[in-house]
Amino acid sequence: MIWYPYEQMKTMKQPYRIVDAEGVYLYTEDQKLIDSVSSWWCMIHGYKHPVLTEAIKKQADRFSHVMLGGLTHDPVLRLSEKLQDFLPEDLDYCFFSDSGSVAVEVALKMALQFNTNRGSGRDMVLSLEHAYHGDTFKTMEVGDDEDYHFAFEEKKDVVHIPTKIEALEEAFDKYHDRFYCFIVEPLLQGAGGMRMYDAAFLKRARELCDRYDVLLIFDEVATGFGRTGNRFVADLVCPDILVLGKALTGGYIGHAVTVANHKVFQGFYSDDGRQALMHGPTFMGNALACSVALKSIELFEKDNYMEKIRNIEAVTRREMEGFEDPQVKEVRMMGGCVCVEVHDGAVLRGFQQFAYERGVFSRPFLKYMYAMVPYVIKEEELVRVLDVMKAWFRK
Ligand SMILES: *Cc1c(COP(=O)(O)O)cnc(C)c1O
């Protein structure tokens, strides 16, 4: 049997069974649903996109996968060149892996070894309160969310701060000679509750990291490819290491990349074999994933996705303006993300089924009802999603 994610299997409600999917729609035997979650935020072009499906089919006719140890191939070469052009400044060195969590692990290992390679004994990581960086152990350690981690408590070398400049300065005052990196989900903290904060915080972080020689890591697994209304938050403030996942392959196959800048890469580049990065996931640089990622980025550029995201934000602001309810604590919006936070999570119980009956798939968690729609959504479909969210409070 299937062991489902984040579920108490004993009390779990039956999941909806999907039989087909196209554009923004998921189909069950008896319902057609707008996917307001974009399959955990990755399906930015919608389902069954002809260009992406074709890219996979074409590559599968050649070969689906070869290892990247001792071998290389066109799809991975072309994708790394594309990313080099597409990403800001000297974020040019692409280390591929099969999921966002692993790519964050790689970023943390990179940062730590960058320091050991130069003989530094720094031993601490700075990260944010309510951070989410994945479900593997080190990513959980730099994460900070009781609801995901309570069963695995053990934190020694990680300092968590709120997204306040004073807290940032205080942490650097105290530990600047011990931090080897500062890892953040920039501007939008997703799984920690769709929390939004200001770019000024990141600018200050960049200054302090420069002053004290600390590597700045942006985990843009969720925020990358337009979700915040910026292509990448790295376009505003440039990190030393950037992590991309989720939307990288347009949601088609799990793949992720850890991209380092020149300085980080140079920290490993030497005649000493022991200074190499000792990591290598079996499926890194998978040819199907790279082929589809390349096409996904081409679509993103060619079909002017940033304009689509601006429209999503404008329609969302128009529709949610003035929305209030005694049960609602706050409505937050940024780019292609809207979140309705309630005072008491119990209020959201039953919302998923309510939305299902009205043709929308939603998956609220804890105190958060949210939408992160595929960017190809039409205005009337987006309005429908937002209407269903509002209707729950008026029922
Ligand atoms: C989803 C997510 C991850 C983990 O990615 P997986 O592919 O699920 O392992 C890491 N960081 C952030 C910010 C995420 O949203």
Side-chain angles (χ1 to χ4, degrees):
M1 81 179 247
I2 299 169
W3 200 333
Y4 285 93
Y6 304 122
E7 292 287 357
Q8 172 45 262
M9 295 299 292
K10 188 169 177 185
T11 53
M12 181 182 88
K13 158 183 153 314
Q14 270 309 306
Y16 304 117
R17 188 168 181 154
I18 300 307
V19 295
D20 200 359
E22 184 163 17
V24 298
Y25 292 99
L26 296 167
Y27 294 85
T28 63
E29 281 303 348
D30 49 18
Q31 189 57 297
K32 175 180 174 186
L33 303 162
I34 301 173
D35 181 2
S36 72
V37 186
S38 302
S39 269
W40 267 333
W41 328 338
C42 66
M43 195 57 68
I44 58 174
H45 309 286
Y47 296 93
K48 212 188 287 187
H49 193 290
V51 173
L52 300 185
T53 304
E54 180 59 23
I56 293 226
K57 284 184 174 163
K58 261 177 78 180
Q59 184 56 40
D61 280 339
R62 294 209 184 89
F63 57 92
S64 296
H65 181 67
V66 297
M67 65 194 263
L68 218 54
L71 303 174
T72 193
H73 53 84
D74 264 8
V76 74
L77 287 165
R78 281 167 42 218
L79 179 59
S80 57
E81 274 163 27
K82 184 77 200 177
L83 286 169
Q84 195 169 335
D85 288 347
F86 195 58
L87 298 175
E89 300 190 23
D90 63 342
L91 289 166
D92 288 346
Y93 303 87
C94 300
F95 191 98
F96 294 97
S97 51
D98 30 29
S99 75
S101 304
V102 173
V104 174
E105 294 280 352
V106 170
L108 294 165
K109 279 174 74 173
M110 236 180 220
L112 179 60
Q113 195 181 340
F114 175 82
N115 269 278
T116 40
N117 279 358
R118 61 182 188 176
S120 148
R122 294 186 185 206
D123 60 349
M124 282 168 76
V125 177
L126 181 59
S127 77
L128 298 179
E129 286 176 4
H130 309 291
Y132 177 84
H133 294 290
D135 287 342
T136 56
F137 258 51
K138 188 72 183 178
T139 68
M140 281 173 36
E141 200 180 328
V142 293
D144 174 42
D145 197 323
E146 240 330 73
D147 299 294
Y148 295 88
H149 299 161
F150 61 92
F152 308 95
E153 208 45 59
E154 200 212 338
K155 282 173 188 168
K156 287 191 298 272
D157 57 357
V158 179
V159 175
H160 291 99
I161 55 166
T163 51
K164 297 273 174 295
I165 288 181
E166 311 82 74
L168 178 68
E169 291 174 342
E170 204 178 298
F172 271 90
D173 273 348
K174 238 170 155 170
Y175 297 120
H176 58 85
D177 54 350
R178 290 190 63 191
F179 292 142
Y180 59 88
C181 68
F182 179 26
I183 181 165
V184 297
E185 292 160 273
L187 295 189
L188 170 64
Q189 298 184 281
M194 307 299 164
R195 293 161 198 271
M196 299 165 187
Y197 64 93
D198 204 82
F201 178 85
L202 297 173
K203 294 203 173 99
R204 186 70 184 124
R206 181 70 273 179
E207 287 167 10
L208 290 166
C209 284
D210 285 341
R211 181 181 314 160
Y212 296 112
D213 202 12
V214 174
L215 294 179
L216 181 59
I217 304 175
F218 280 6
D219 176 353
E220 292 218 51
V221 171
T223 57
F225 298 98
R227 192 52 75 183
T228 67
N230 308 284
R231 258 174 13 123
F232 300 95
V233 183
D235 289 332
L236 305 178
V237 174
C238 200
D240 299 291
I241 301 175
L242 173 66
V243 186
L244 301 176
K246 293 197 164 99
L248 175 67
T249 61
Y252 266 60
I253 310 187
H255 222 63
V257 63
T258 308
V259 190
N261 68 5
H262 189 68
K263 165 179 156 179
V264 172
F265 185 75
Q266 281 303 318
F268 291 79
Y269 198 74
S270 115
D271 293 318
D272 182 356
R274 290 174 54 82
Q275 299 212 336
L277 181 62
M278 295 306 282
H279 200 100
T282 305
F283 288 104
M284 72 183 293
N286 173 269
L288 299 179
C290 290
S291 303
V292 77
L294 190 63
K295 283 292 172 202
S296 170
I297 297 173
E298 282 172 17
L299 278 179
F300 193 94
E301 287 180 299
K302 185 168 74 65
D303 294 351
N304 200 2
Y305 271 57
M306 292 315 298
E307 182 67 31
K308 291 190 206 296
I309 296 159
R310 276 191 287 278
N311 284 335
I312 289 171
E313 177 160 6
V315 170
T316 306
R317 289 198 184 278
R318 183 191 77 205
E319 295 297 311
M320 298 308 283
E321 204 193 308
F323 172 68
E324 280 177 346
D325 187 275
Q327 293 166 312
V328 170
K329 184 173 171 203
E330 190 182 42
V331 179
R332 297 189 279 275
M333 287 167 266
M334 181 186 277
C337 176
V338 54
C339 175
V340 177
E341 178 174 346
V342 296
H343 292 286
D344 175 4
V347 164
L348 301 179
R349 216 170 289 146
F351 173 66
Q352 186 171 61
Q353 185 61 23
F354 176 88
Y356 178 88
E357 284 156 15
R358 285 154 187 80
V360 172
F361 174 66
S362 173
R363 190 176 182 280
F365 61 100
L366 307 171
K367 291 184 286 181
Y368 315 104
M369 170 196 278
Y370 74 96
M372 288 219 209
V373 294
Y375 300 148
V376 294
I377 198 165
K378 296 197 187 80
E379 178 166 341
E380 64 266 28
E381 293 163 336
L382 177 56
V383 169
R384 171 99 159 275
V385 168
L386 300 170
D387 278 349
V388 168
M389 290 169 72
K390 290 185 285 186
W392 174 250
F393 296 96
R394 285 194 234 98
K395 68 178 188 314

